[in-house]
Amino acid sequence: MQAHANKWMTVTWPQRAFAVVALGIAAVCATGCNTFNWKGDGFHDEFAHWGENARPAGEPGHLTGLSEQAQEVERNLGIR
């Protein structure tokens, strides 16, 4: 028996049981992260053709961006 038991250092059995269960759940979740597909199945845009009606393709070489930066984006994406 200790002469001066620190009440903050004594752990009851429910606290220990909770800690063991929490560590077990964390271990199971951590090992499951390796098999989870974080990248997903890719991007499939089924609505991309809707924008073609709103902004039809213009003449080749004629950029429609208002600023120089917008025109650079059009050139880099190969829009015109």
Side-chain angles (χ1 to χ4, degrees), residues 33-50:
C33 290
N34 290 336
T35 59
F36 185 74
N37 184 9
W38 290 100
K39 293 183 180 179
D41 60 349
F43 181 72
H44 306 288
D45 190 5
E46 58 197 48
F47 304 108
H49 63 278
W50 289 6

Side-chain angles (χ1 to χ4, degrees), residues 47-72:
F47 304 108
H49 63 278
W50 289 6
E52 294 174 359
N53 296 333
R55 185 175 181 187
E59 299 174 10
H62 179 68
L63 301 175
T64 58
L66 299 178
S67 66
E68 182 62 36
Q69 185 177 12
Q71 292 176 0
E72 180 182 353

